[in-house]
Amino acid sequence: MSQQRGPYSKSYGVTIDAAHQTLHDGYVYDISHRATLTTSGDAMEVAIVVPATVGAYIMLDVGSEKIATLTIIEDVASLSGGTSATAYNANRNSALTSGCTYKTGVPAGALSYSGGTTIYTRQVTTSGIIMAASFESERMLKAGATTILRLVSGANSCDASINVRIYVDPRPL
């Protein structure tokens, strides 16, 4: 008997890791934010609001053409401003949504927030990458909390980006 082949065929006896299966099942989302930070001290930010019933973890890919500092701030008390952002499902055939909400900001459309605890900070040197998507960049976000990813330029005219891959646990917490 011949085995059926094609993009929707079933295959048996193949093992894939959990993260890959989660992507195939439609529980992985991407946000990309890029900007030119015009003066030293300018910041670009991504806010992720995780409901209490959602388990979410992120993998970061953050880059800057010049010196910059990444800070992750957890448990932000209030959040306003910025621009609503859409997280796109990495499985382009899935209609599922992440359940989280997102905002982005740069100095012209800056986020405004108060409170929070800095849980991570790291500096990138010229033309470097702070974190590439890997286990070192993986962070489990606190459920029921707002987290800010903040990249601050240490130089004028700095092209920078924050790319976030969000894995959402489909089971309620």
Side-chain angles (χ1 to χ4, degrees), residues 33-161:
H33 186 37
R34 185 197 168 287
T36 298
L37 303 172
T38 55
T39 61
S40 179
D42 279 354
M44 64 183 305
E45 297 163 318
V46 174
I48 304 172
V49 181
V50 181
T53 57
V54 173
Y57 74 89
I58 60 173
M59 292 181 79
L60 299 174
D61 183 355
V62 179
S64 174
E65 72 164 339
K66 298 180 179 175
I67 196 164
T69 302
L70 174 71
T71 304
I72 301 176
I73 305 162
E74 179 181 79
D75 272 340
V76 169
S78 66
L79 174 67
S80 62
T83 302
S84 292
T86 300
Y88 292 98
N89 197 312
N91 176 347
R92 301 305 298 145
N93 296 301
S94 176
L96 296 173
T97 59
S98 73
C100 301
T101 56
Y102 310 92
K103 286 190 169 191
T104 58
V106 290
L111 292 172
S112 179
Y113 52 90
S114 65
T117 302
T118 298
I119 60 170
Y120 182 88
T121 187
R122 178 138 183 231
Q123 187 172 24
V124 65
T125 57
T126 304
S127 296
I129 294 174
I130 292 177
M131 294 179 159
S134 68
F135 290 117
E136 291 81 23
S137 73
E138 185 177 25
R139 299 284 181 271
M140 185 76 183
L141 298 183
K142 189 173 182 181
T146 298
T147 300
I148 305 288
L149 310 172
R150 185 169 204 261
L151 186 64
V152 177
S153 173
N156 295 337
S157 300
C158 178
D159 287 331
S161 63

